[in-house]
Amino acid sequence: MSLLILVLLAVIAYLLSRIRFLLTAYGDDLADLRKEVAALRQAKPKPAPVQEPLPTPVKKGISADEIIKATDRININTISKTGLQRIPSIGATAAQRVIDARPYTDLTQLDAVKGLTKAQRDSLKSLLTV
């Protein structure tokens, strides 16, 4: 038992000597490190970065005037069904009928599309081109 105590004391003495060596070898570095930590604790926090505002969401119902202002006329042979449905008074059925009657060589051919009212044809003619 006393041998075990002597071994433990020897290990403790060795560890203490290593700690003393490290403190004397790196003592100046530790003092500098403590100064840096103290300076960081006293430093004012940086302001949060300013975020850019989110883009304005697109309105679901766009009037014919807004479409004309936003773009030139759209080709009736290339516009998608969704694009046609965004035109006022044009629903899914009317848009599909317009697509089924492609290709168009003249906008007057819209008069032959079954189920389109005069108001729908006028909306299409004012916004589309061939």
Side-chain angles (χ1 to χ4, degrees):
M1 186 73 156
S2 63
L3 182 60
L4 182 62
I5 293 174
L6 286 175
V7 170
L8 284 174
L9 288 175
V11 170
I12 291 172
Y14 173 75
L15 290 174
L16 287 175
S17 69
R18 295 301 299 162
I19 291 171
R20 184 177 308 141
F21 169 76
L22 291 173
L23 286 176
T24 56
Y26 298 101
D28 292 337
D29 292 339
L30 289 175
D32 292 341
L33 183 61
R34 284 188 190 114
K35 288 178 185 176
E36 288 179 25
V37 169
L40 286 173
R41 286 182 180 159
Q42 293 176 355
K44 294 181 181 177
K46 293 181 181 177
V50 177
Q51 292 183 344
E52 295 291 326
L54 296 174
T56 307
V58 178
K59 295 187 285 184
K60 288 188 178 180
I62 298 176
S63 70
D65 293 335
E66 289 174 322
I67 293 173
I68 292 172
K69 288 177 189 173
T71 62
D72 291 332
R73 293 177 178 230
I74 301 168
N75 189 325
I76 193 168
N77 293 313
T78 59
I79 190 169
S80 67
K81 183 177 179 179
T82 307
L84 284 169
Q85 288 177 308
R86 295 188 73 176
I87 297 173
S89 78
I90 305 296
T93 305
Q96 189 60 51
R97 287 180 181 158
V98 169
I99 289 173
D100 291 341
R102 286 179 181 170
Y104 294 95
T105 56
D106 188 8
L107 288 179
T108 57
Q109 291 174 320
L110 284 172
D111 297 337
V113 177
K114 290 186 179 182
L116 286 182
T117 64
K118 181 173 177 1
Q120 289 173 322
R121 287 192 306 267
D122 291 342
S123 292
L124 290 171
K125 288 178 183 177
S126 67
L127 298 172
L128 302 175
T129 187
V130 178

